[in-house]
Structure formats: C-alpha cells, structure tokens
Amino acid sequence: MELNFEMRDNVGVLKVSGRLDAYNSSEFKESFTKYSEQTVNFVLDLSSLDFLDSTGLGSIVACLKAISERDGDIRVANMSEKPRMVFEITRAYKIFEIFDDVDVAVMSYEVD
Amino acid sequence: MKCLIYSRIEEMPWIEECFNRTNPYLLRIVNKPHLEFFIDFCSTLQISEIRIVSNTATNELNSYFKDGKKWGVEISYNIARPEDSLKRVVLKNFSFCREEDTLIISDYFFLEYDVNSMKEMSGEIIDYLKTTKNKYLQILEKGASIKDIEEDNLFIDNKYLSVKKLSSVTDYFDLSMDILENKCCHYVLPGYSSEPRTYLGMNVTYPKSVNIDSPVMIGNNVRIGEMGEIGKNSIIGDNVIIGSLTNISNSIIYSESFVGSDLEINNKIIYHNKLISGKTGDVIIMDDDYLLSGINKERKISKVKRMLHIITALIQIVVQTIPFLLISPFLLILHKKYNLTQKYYLSKDKKVKRMFSIDNARKHPFIRFIKKFSLDKYPYLFYVISGRLLLVGNKLFTMTNKHKEIMVNLPSYNPGVYSYWESLNQGFSSEEEIHELYYINNNRFWTNVYIYCKINFLRLFW
C-alpha cells in the first residue's frame, strides 16, 4: 500500500494505491490519524486501489467515525470497479459520499 | 450524447406486497425489465454511454445489463446515498456529465414512446427535452450548471413521449395489458413473432391439444400441459409451468411460477404463490403448492458441499475425542465458576440454542491451552453432523440485540463452527456486519478451506 497526501483548498486528498487489507489496515489508520492533525475534511482517491477487503474497508469506516466526532467527513472519489463492489456488498455506500472525480469531491465541501 | 439514469428506489409497498423483493427497475413489464425500456429509448436516440446510478446496490442491475453491449451502448454504474437529491447525484457523477449533453432520467415511472416514430423524430424530441425541464426527463447541456436541473415533476406535453405513473399493481396490470393489446409494435419486445401480436420465447413446449389465441406473449422455458387454453391478452414469463386443462386469459403469469391443473385464471397476476387481482389489486397467498407456487432458483448449499463439511467434522471428532474426554473434568470445574454456555442464533428465523462457549473464561490459562488445540470447537462439531451448523460459515451470533439486528440485515445467515471473522484474528468486534457481508459475497470452496486452515494454524502457533 502506498499513501500520497496533499492539501487542496483546505481539504486533505489522500491517494491510496495498491492493496488495503488486513495486513496494512493498521498502517492506514495510523497514517490517517497523523494527517487528520492538518484537516478534518478528506477526499480518498481510490483510483489506484487494486484490492480492498472487509478489514481495509473497516479501517476506512473507523477513520470516518473518528473524524465525524470532530465534525469532519471522508468523501470517496474515483473508485475503480473492485473497490466499488466491496462498497456495494457491504452497504458502505450508505455512509460515504462517492464521487467520480477528485476535483468535484473537493469542490463539494465548498458547495456544502 | 450521454444518459444518466437515477434508479432511485423508494418505498413502494405495492411492489413489496405483490412481487416480494423484486428490484422495481427489474420488474418485468411485458416480459421485459422496466429499465430496459429506458435503455432502448436511449439507444434509439443514439446515446452511446449510459451511467446507471442507484441508491441501493447495483449488483442485480449489473448482472442483467452488464456492460450494455447487447443494446449497443456502454453502461457504467455508480451508487448514491438513499437521501441524495437529483442535483447531488449529478454532482457526484459530474465528470461523466460535463463532457457532453446528458439526458437525465430519474424517478420511478414508465416512459411511453413509439420506437418507429422516434427514429425519425429524434432531433425534435431532443430539442423538446432541452427546452422543457422535468424531473423525469431532461437534458443537461454541456457546460450548463447543476443549478439548472429541475427537481419537480412537471407535465410532459409531447406527442411522441408520455409519462405513466406506476403507483399501484392495477397501474402495472393495465399498462401491461395496454402494451400487449394496442402498443406492442411501439417497443422492442422479447421473443419471436411469427404473426402480429404473438411473441414466443425459446424452449416453449406444449401439446397439440393446447389452444393459443393472440395477442399473447410467452417467455423462455415454458411448459404447458394437455388441453390448456392460453386465451387473449396472456403474458407468460420465463421458466413457467402450466398444468393441464388450465385456462388463462387477460392475465400475467410472472416468471418462475408454477400454475396447477384445471384452473380458470382471468384478470389476474400470478407471482409464484401469490394470486393478485389485476382489477382491484387484492392479493391472496396460496398455501397449496399444487395450485400455485414459485419455481425456486435460489442457490442453496449443495449436498456435496454439506457432505464435505460433515466428513471434515467427523475426522476432527475422531482426532479430538480422547483429548476432549481427558480435559472434560476440568471444563466441568470451570463451568461451575464461569458458566461455559451461551445462547446463539442458529438460523435467520431467530432459532436460539444454548451451547458451549469459552467467552466467559477466555483469559483463563487452561482455556488458552484448549484453544490452542481447537478443542473448544469439539462440542460444535456434532451440530455440523446434525446439519444445524456448517463447519465454515457466518459468525455464530450470540443472542444479543446488536447481533439480532446484524443477522436480520444479512441477506443470508448460515453460521459455522469456524468463520471468516474469526480468521481475521483482530480481537475486536466492530464492523461485524461489513465482515459478514463481505464473507457472504466471497463465500467459495477454497475461501472456506483457507479459513479453516488459517484459524487452526493461527491458534496452534500464536
């Protein structure tokens, strides 16, 4: 798993590449906690995410719960087919806002 | 031009009452899923790309429409939150919509059109939709703002298009009958048509004594018994069996239904074991399988798979019997102190059973020892042999409100002695629903072998 973080218009854009599963979900949570010191509004760019399992998704949900307590949000963008299927079968789409473009997802914070 | 279809599923009690959990957009109207009429409409307007957005999982739609090649279009899918407005949905799919003019179809309705006149008048229809905004059907022009999207249902006043609301089962019945009787040439309908207003699917078998009158539509894999009468305005779906001497007219026999012998069916809808009046919408559920029933296509755990579970459980019993007998006096002593039992849900219909459990004493050194050799699994193995548990399946939920809620929401619940959740070895109990849903959708033979081996291995060496 590779994480690339950048700030855009006060929104943290976190690009996740590779695999997010049981073996690196704790690493993801730790990195996210570190990035959340800079902002509470995030966009997860999942365009390069090849594999996501329930533990990986569980770690994203745990991050959402933590950031929601600080009135923040995690929005998901650019999801490829396989992660989208995991979001669907686990009904995670009910708790995440899913956009098809990172720029629009960043802009959506302004719209709100 | 592109098209975005927002298949928003709201509560539609009549669909749930009459057609169980059928996805409203896959409800068959004259043997064709509702959404397919929209796709045909787009195809006739020479739209090349369609994005289907749903506020529920799109897997059912995806498995039917796939990538859209069959209709000569490219179909992609996205999901929205149930509470999303149309404007929010367009915003979430903005990279799809911003490149070209986009036809937006939203809400649950039936679009009446004539495919023949549309081919000639598509330019006029597109111009009309550009100027007249309506929540049902509108065109978002390239470069236009999302604010321009109309969210109200206004009257569509066009000689080529009209919107028909489907708010009750009688609306559905009247629409189906109207299409078959008067408008079948307006749409591309499934089946071979050897004479006007007669549509026959593949693998339809009936003896010479059967009489069939047009207009009629018969789907694929249909068997009609001796001396049957398929009268005017009969719509028979796919995979249907009709018994001998049965007379059907002005009725819809929905796919995967069995209709018994010597019955008179007029102005009715048959959906599996439900008899629905097409005129009043009254529903009767028939308990007698010889009259009406569903043809069950649901995939059940095959006998071979279950046998494998039982054989593996038997081998484990043989290996563990003597060690378990040796430790049982110590377990009895611990039971007096910690109560080594707990109530578990065995099935989705909330059947509960008090069973052996080490949860109350899991930190005790002796329990840790027996866990290392998976001896705590031994009492459960007999439930595998009796068919009440699987060897590897869903997590065996304890009788708590939290677990009850999760279990009810799961599409299926087949608890096992070993579970995917346990194999994660994470030591926390949050996100259980996500893990169980993930397991249900990835439940394969080799996944179960992996889970079984992983749990035993982890317990032995960690």
Side-chain angles (χ1 to χ4, degrees), chain A:
Chain A
M1 180 191 64
E2 198 184 320
L3 298 175
N4 288 300
F5 180 74
E6 60 169 318
M7 288 295 292
R8 277 194 226 172
D9 301 331
N10 215 22
V11 175
V13 179
L14 183 59
K15 186 171 181 172
V16 190
S17 311
R19 296 169 66 93
L20 180 52
D21 53 22
Y23 300 100
N24 49 33
S25 60
S26 329
E27 185 194 332
F28 175 81
K29 276 196 272 188
E30 279 165 25
S31 305
F32 186 87
T33 311
K34 198 176 78 190
Y35 299 135
S36 66
E37 287 164 11
Q38 296 177 52
T39 181
V40 290
N41 291 330
F42 284 87
V43 170
L44 281 191
D45 179 356
L46 303 186
S47 56
S48 306
L49 186 68
D50 304 323
F51 180 79
L52 176 73
D53 73 357
S54 62
T55 319
L57 179 60
S59 65
I60 301 177
V61 173
C63 294
L64 176 69
K65 278 182 186 166
I67 214 77
S68 301
E69 283 170 13
R70 293 164 55 197
D71 290 330
D73 196 9
I74 298 176
R75 294 179 185 178
V76 180
N78 257 343
M79 218 181 334
S80 53
E81 186 62 20
K82 283 180 185 172
R84 190 177 66 79
M85 279 161 65
V86 177
F87 269 73
E88 277 197 37
I89 59 171
T90 56
R91 300 174 189 147
Y93 63 88
K94 290 186 179 179
I95 50 172
F96 287 98
E97 297 238 49
I98 299 165
F99 293 79
D100 67 351
D101 187 80
V102 175
D103 296 332
V104 179
V106 171
M107 194 187 74
S108 70
Y109 281 104
E110 264 179 57
V111 174
D112 293 347

Side-chain angles (χ1 to χ4, degrees), chain B residues 248-302:
Chain B
I248 295 168
S249 59
N250 298 302
S251 296
I252 301 168
I253 315 294
Y254 207 87
S255 297
E256 275 91 41
S257 298
F258 165 80
V259 182
S261 299
D262 210 1
L263 300 176
E264 184 84 30
I265 292 164
N266 186 27
N267 287 319
K268 300 285 184 296
I269 301 170
I270 308 287
Y271 178 83
H272 303 171
N273 66 339
K274 286 182 180 174
L275 178 66
I276 305 154
S277 166
K279 295 292 170 195
T280 61
D282 293 325
V283 181
I284 299 169
I285 297 170
M286 309 292 278
D287 288 329
D288 190 345
D289 285 351
Y290 289 100
L291 294 176
L292 303 175
S293 68
I295 295 173
N296 201 348
K297 280 179 74 188
E298 271 178 34
R299 212 172 59 175
K300 289 195 172 168
I301 296 161
S302 72

Side-chain angles (χ1 to χ4, degrees), chain B residues 141-344:
Chain B
E141 290 185 69
K142 186 183 173 185
S145 161
I146 289 171
K147 285 175 191 160
D148 295 341
I149 292 169
E150 180 59 60
E151 297 216 74
D152 286 327
N153 296 325
L154 307 169
F155 181 65
I156 289 190
D157 179 23
N158 185 280
K159 58 184 169 183
Y160 304 111
L161 302 173
S162 82
V163 164
K164 198 135 198 164
K165 286 289 277 179
L166 285 171
S167 47
S168 67
V169 71
T170 53
D171 287 349
Y172 166 79
F173 181 78
D174 293 342
L175 174 72
S176 304
M177 291 296 136
D178 185 35
I179 294 175
L180 183 64
E181 203 172 356
N182 309 311
K183 296 171 184 163
C184 53
C185 59
H186 290 194
Y187 306 96
V188 181
L189 296 180
Y192 296 101
S193 188
S194 52
E195 57 180 276
R197 304 198 299 171
T198 302
Y199 296 86
L200 284 185
M202 287 185 290
N203 194 22
V204 177
T205 55
Y206 53 90
K208 281 182 181 172
S209 57
V210 170
N211 190 21
I212 298 177
D213 273 346
S214 68
V216 70
M217 174 172 272
I218 301 177
N220 299 324
N221 308 317
V222 174
R223 208 168 74 207
I224 305 167
E226 291 277 353
M227 314 276 281
E229 185 94 24
I230 309 298
K232 284 182 178 176
N233 300 324
S234 301
I235 301 170
I236 295 163
D238 295 339
N239 310 316
V240 168
I241 299 171
I242 296 166
S244 55
L245 293 162
T246 287
N247 188 341
I248 295 168
S249 59
N250 298 302
S251 296
I252 301 168
I253 315 294
Y254 207 87
S255 297
E256 275 91 41
S257 298
F258 165 80
V259 182
S261 299
D262 210 1
L263 300 176
E264 184 84 30
I265 292 164
N266 186 27
N267 287 319
K268 300 285 184 296
I269 301 170
I270 308 287
Y271 178 83
H272 303 171
N273 66 339
K274 286 182 180 174
L275 178 66
I276 305 154
S277 166
K279 295 292 170 195
T280 61
D282 293 325
V283 181
I284 299 169
I285 297 170
M286 309 292 278
D287 288 329
D288 190 345
D289 285 351
Y290 289 100
L291 294 176
L292 303 175
S293 68
I295 295 173
N296 201 348
K297 280 179 74 188
E298 271 178 34
R299 212 172 59 175
K300 289 195 172 168
I301 296 161
S302 72
K303 281 183 183 170
V304 179
K305 273 186 189 169
R306 204 171 268 281
M307 277 311 291
L308 276 171
H309 283 250
I310 291 172
I311 290 165
T312 317
L314 270 172
I315 295 168
Q316 197 169 332
I317 286 173
V318 170
V319 173
Q320 289 185 332
T321 298
I322 293 171
F324 190 81
L325 286 174
L326 289 171
I327 61 156
S328 50
F330 301 101
L331 282 176
L332 278 171
I333 296 164
L334 275 179
H335 176 58
K336 279 179 188 159
K337 195 176 175 189
Y338 293 103
N339 182 20
L340 298 181
T341 61
Q342 221 168 354
K343 282 184 176 174
Y344 290 102

Side-chain angles (χ1 to χ4, degrees), chain B residues 85-190:
Chain B
S85 67
L86 180 58
K87 281 181 183 167
R88 192 78 181 166
V89 168
V90 175
L91 179 71
K92 287 181 173 181
N93 294 277
F94 202 58
S95 78
F96 175 82
C97 300
R98 68 184 161 200
E99 292 157 4
E100 288 177 41
D101 289 352
T102 305
L103 172 69
I104 297 169
I105 301 176
S106 90
D107 236 345
Y108 193 69
F109 69 98
F110 185 79
L111 183 64
E112 288 193 309
Y113 57 86
D114 181 350
V115 77
N116 303 305
S117 60
M118 269 190 50
K119 278 175 187 160
E120 294 157 14
M121 307 309 297
S122 59
E124 195 181 311
I125 291 167
I126 290 169
D127 287 343
Y128 172 79
L129 292 172
K130 276 182 182 171
T131 50
T132 318
K133 298 282 178 190
N134 188 302
K135 189 183 179 185
Y136 294 125
L137 214 56
Q138 58 190 309
I139 289 178
L140 182 71
E141 290 185 69
K142 186 183 173 185
S145 161
I146 289 171
K147 285 175 191 160
D148 295 341
I149 292 169
E150 180 59 60
E151 297 216 74
D152 286 327
N153 296 325
L154 307 169
F155 181 65
I156 289 190
D157 179 23
N158 185 280
K159 58 184 169 183
Y160 304 111
L161 302 173
S162 82
V163 164
K164 198 135 198 164
K165 286 289 277 179
L166 285 171
S167 47
S168 67
V169 71
T170 53
D171 287 349
Y172 166 79
F173 181 78
D174 293 342
L175 174 72
S176 304
M177 291 296 136
D178 185 35
I179 294 175
L180 183 64
E181 203 172 356
N182 309 311
K183 296 171 184 163
C184 53
C185 59
H186 290 194
Y187 306 96
V188 181
L189 296 180

